[in-house]
Amino acid sequence: MLAQGIDIRISDTNELWSNPVGSAQASNNYIGSTAVEMVTDLHALTGLPLGTFDISAMEIRGRPFSNAPLYVFNQTSNIEADDNARLYELWYSQKFIGERLAFRIGKLDLGHDFMVSSVGLNFLNASFSWPILADNDLYDQGPVSPVTTPAIRLRYTLSRQWNFLFAAADDNPIGAPFINMKDPWNQNRDPSGTRFNFNTGALFFGEVHYRRQISGRQGTYKLGGYFDTGRFPDQSDFRKSHKTNWAIYGIVDQTLQHFGRKTELDAFVRGNWTGDTDRNQIVYAIDGGIALKGPFGRTDDVLGLGAGLGAASPYLAQADRRSGLPMQGTEYHLELTYQIQATPWFMLQPDIQGIVSPSGGVLDSKGQRVHDEAIFGLHGNVTF
């Protein structure tokens, strides 16, 4: 349909989650999201040397449950968000220099391009799609779904092996304070997704991609970082703040083995680190996993096993100790998942997760220690 100039895409996702073991209390939860996107190829539509225009919106339903009763660093599901209907992305893109340089400007989800592992996207825990470090250390959990940000993104393709990406964005599109106890994700400050704030700071991303085959097995290796010019609260005294913030990261996506034509084993590992331990809740995070594509002779299915951790700042641990609270340390998350591609348009995904030491060891609202958690989920997605 895009060959004629316009393509409309609709995706509906629904999830059921149960936490019978651990956390602050046992719970059962439903969350869902419907996304509608219209892509317009202006060159195909008009015949003029123009690019692509994209607009999308999403309707989010259900009640978030990862802050309470789970008390985890990152969301259990990568669609979990506050209950709103909102504008998602709005952008224009154009290619130059024989399509080597791709320019995009508008309201962007930078998680599509930066800090992302293609193998990690097979998992449901949000930490595998958008890392714990960026989620906790940037404003509004970072410029990712459902909160997008005004930005410019450049991609330069030097060769088949080398890609270079750069983005300059607003670091706090909602304009809310970094810490908001009544609305931790700040999404309800801008429920429609139409607010544009340019008063706090700028966020810059840079990333280099290198692709190569090793003995016929494809690998992609990424090295990147971000720099934020805004102000961030001190982790030991929230009355203080610090100017600027930064982090670096590396990602490896690698095919390990082919088993005939239909089945292959892929793996990923990703590490994130920042030296600004006084202004960041998470100072380093590591995650990784394996994904078997085409198990049991089913070409489009995926079986995945992943694990990761996020380590809290020593400044935050010191503040906890002074307050007589357990010192936050390291949270560990594990996931076993299976994607069943029942039809070309319907995918079903049962999922099991385990969280060890939620938020590095914290107390719930009743002053009780939050216990290790077992979480069971069922994800369904319909795409048109």
Side-chain angles (χ1 to χ4, degrees), residues 335-357:
E335 181 173 352
L336 175 65
T337 196
Y338 185 71
Q339 293 182 10
I340 305 168
Q341 196 67 49
T343 71
W345 50 269
F346 176 59
M347 188 264 285
L348 191 67
Q349 186 170 357
D351 189 83
I352 302 173
Q353 297 184 28
I355 309 294
V356 178
S357 188

Side-chain angles (χ1 to χ4, degrees), residues 132-148:
I132 283 180
L133 184 142
D135 183 89
N136 285 270
D137 293 351
L138 294 176
Y139 278 90
D140 310 322
Q141 299 180 287
V144 295
S145 176
V147 177
T148 52

Side-chain angles (χ1 to χ4, degrees), residues 17 65-66 70 74-78 80 124-126 353 375:
W17 293 95
F65 58 96
S66 289
L70 298 184
N74 207 350
Q75 291 97 304
T76 300
S77 165
N78 52 31
E80 187 180 357
L124 295 182
N125 188 292
Q353 297 184 28
I375 307 165

